[in-house]
Amino acid sequence: MSLSKETNHPDRTYFARSLQRLEQDVLRMGTLVEESFRLSHQSLFARDLEMAKKIAPLDKEIDRYYRQIELDCATLMTLQAPVAQDLRLLSAFMQLVRDLERIGDYAKDLAEIALKLFAYTPHDCMSEIEAMSHHAQYMLATSLVALADLDQEAGPKVKELDNTVDQAYDYLYHTLAHQRDIKGVVEPILLMALLIRHLERMADHATNIAQRVSYIVTGQRG
């Protein structure tokens, strides 16, 4: 990924190299978020609590990238007098990393839900929720590939995938909300309702990323 172009002018050369480093940091942050999502999935559906324990330090690294990228974007905006295309890229990056940071936060929340659900027998809906999680992960991966390749066609594709996640959320929420003859505590039902809501929001943020890539390339908002 690179929209920056080096020139013989020293200031523009410095700006182009700074922008390239920034682009690399955004992709590194995306890789960490993907890993965090994968670990949260394993902790939930493989009931692997060791995976859940790895997410907190990973989330701190994600947050560090988020703060640094925001600072770098603001610095380049204020000190380097970027042209219109560079401003578009920087502003999109600042929004995009917020989406990544939120997905990372939700992954951490999923791990906490996994720890609480571990005490209960897996619910019949968990296989369908697992499919929903796989779908949201695929959306994130697709969006990050689009970012790396600057694929302006990814926005509509990921938006279509998001419709599938939304449909799964509606179905599962209805199923859980109308659960009858619940024996014992209702905590696992409440936790699963929260779980599918988090997954639905993660898919929304993945959609945002793909749409921001389209904006970076075309200058048009979807």
Side-chain angles (χ1 to χ4, degrees):
M1 170 181 64
S2 183
L3 286 178
S4 57
K5 296 180 180 179
E6 292 195 22
T7 69
N8 292 326
H9 193 286
D11 288 343
R12 287 301 301 169
T13 299
Y14 172 80
F15 182 88
R17 290 175 179 171
S18 297
L19 203 53
Q20 287 173 355
R21 286 195 295 270
L22 184 60
E23 292 166 353
Q24 291 168 0
D25 283 346
V26 172
L27 291 174
R28 290 189 187 105
M29 181 182 175
T31 299
L32 293 175
V33 172
E34 272 195 293
E35 176 67 3
S36 186
F37 198 166
R38 184 187 68 80
L39 291 172
S40 70
H41 181 97
Q42 286 186 283
S43 65
L44 276 163
F45 304 109
R47 296 170 70 83
D48 189 339
L49 300 189
E50 291 304 312
M51 297 297 101
K53 295 175 183 177
K54 296 180 179 181
I55 293 178
L58 196 57
D59 188 61
K60 290 181 180 178
E61 186 69 3
I62 290 169
D63 288 344
R64 186 187 69 79
Y65 266 106
Y66 171 55
R67 291 190 297 270
Q68 187 60 52
I69 290 168
E70 276 208 325
L71 178 61
D72 290 345
C73 285
T75 299
L76 288 175
M77 283 180 171
T78 56
L79 299 181
Q80 294 298 320
V83 298
Q85 181 175 307
D86 294 332
L87 276 173
R88 187 172 76 230
L89 180 61
L90 291 169
S91 62
F93 276 169
M94 293 181 77
Q95 294 173 318
L96 191 152
V97 295
R98 289 191 191 107
D99 287 309
L100 286 173
E101 192 268 343
R102 289 303 297 137
I103 294 173
D105 283 346
Y106 281 125
K108 185 173 67 172
D109 292 341
L110 293 185
E112 293 173 358
I113 291 173
L115 293 172
K116 294 176 181 177
L117 281 175
F118 189 76
Y120 302 102
T121 301
H123 191 277
D124 291 342
C125 282
M126 286 301 282
S127 60
E128 292 170 284
I129 298 175
E130 182 177 9
M132 184 181 178
S133 177
H134 274 306
H135 209 87
Q137 287 180 80
Y138 176 67
M139 290 174 63
L140 175 60
T142 301
S143 295
L144 290 173
V145 169
L147 177 60
D149 296 341
L150 289 175
D151 178 8
Q152 68 185 69
E153 303 299 327
K157 294 176 184 177
V158 175
K159 180 61 179 175
E160 187 174 342
L161 293 169
D162 188 47
N163 292 334
T164 301
V165 172
D166 288 342
Q167 291 169 7
Y169 171 78
D170 290 341
Y171 168 76
L172 287 164
Y173 182 84
H174 182 272
T175 300
L176 294 170
H178 293 84
Q179 186 89 34
R180 297 182 181 275
D181 302 322
I182 300 174
K183 297 179 180 179
V185 297
V186 298
E187 183 183 32
I189 302 297
L190 297 175
L191 289 171
M192 285 189 292
L194 188 59
L195 166 57
I196 61 173
R197 178 56 178 163
H198 287 350
L199 288 171
E200 189 268 341
R201 291 300 298 138
M202 293 165 95
D204 285 346
H205 285 293
T207 302
N208 289 346
I209 293 169
Q211 291 177 331
R212 297 193 202 289
V213 172
S214 296
Y215 172 68
I216 287 171
V217 179
T218 67
Q220 298 178 350
R221 298 189 183 277

